[in-house]
Amino acid sequence: MKISTKGRYALRIMLDLAACDQKTCTPLREIAQRQEISEKYLEAIVKDLVKARLVVGTRGKSGGYALAKAPADCTVGSILKCTEGSLAPVACLDSDENRCPRAGRCATLPMWRELDEIIDRYLEGVTLRDLMEQAKDGGEV
């Protein structure tokens, strides 16, 4: 499993929004400037975040984006799954459609399943609030 730029930027967007006043919307232009990411690229990522109901957007003069729920309720797993799709370490675990014809007799499949569960449990156990707390100790949001 390798997290793409899109997934990493989605986390940065979400952390940026988490650091903002939750009662107001933040223009994408401001996020792009703070995160040093192309506004055009962020538009595509935010569209996925809105579709997944992780972010809400408003139009107009005071428009922009805000988290759809509290940072403590936004998991890294949900954000990455939104942008990456499957986080499975091997293709045969991506979905039932990709099921390998050897799955019934594969000696390594149980190990890959366990790794997939460990990754999922870990990423679903880390929230934006957790990352913000870590950033207080010297990281950058």
Side-chain angles (χ1 to χ4, degrees), residues 13-134:
I13 292 166
M14 295 292 286
L15 278 168
D16 192 291
L17 291 173
C20 295
D21 179 3
Q22 300 298 300
K23 296 174 186 159
T24 62
C25 289
T26 304
L28 199 59
R29 174 183 18 82
E30 291 179 17
I31 299 169
Q33 288 172 347
R34 282 193 296 268
Q35 296 300 320
E36 300 174 343
I37 302 170
S38 154
E39 189 174 345
K40 189 159 183 80
Y41 193 30
L42 291 188
E43 286 174 4
I45 297 170
V46 166
K47 185 185 287 188
D48 289 340
L49 295 172
V50 169
K51 186 177 178 182
R53 296 186 174 150
L54 294 170
V55 168
V56 293
T58 57
R59 296 178 187 258
K61 185 178 180 183
S62 60
Y65 297 93
L67 295 181
K69 47 190 167 182
D73 297 325
C74 296
T75 68
V76 170
S78 65
I79 298 163
L80 292 177
K81 288 172 191 171
C82 163
T83 56
E84 301 293 319
S86 172
L87 298 176
V90 291
C92 63
L93 294 178
D94 276 344
S95 70
D96 288 335
E97 296 171 10
N98 294 334
R99 193 62 63 186
C100 174
R102 293 179 35 88
R105 61 185 193 280
C106 179
T108 62
L109 186 58
M111 176 203 54
W112 293 125
R113 280 191 181 129
E114 186 174 347
L115 178 60
D116 187 40
E117 290 169 10
I118 290 168
I119 291 168
D120 188 63
R121 197 169 37 251
Y122 175 74
L123 293 176
E124 289 297 335
V126 179
T127 67
L128 290 179
R129 185 179 77 189
D130 296 332
L131 295 178
M132 293 172 71
E133 291 294 322
Q134 291 172 5

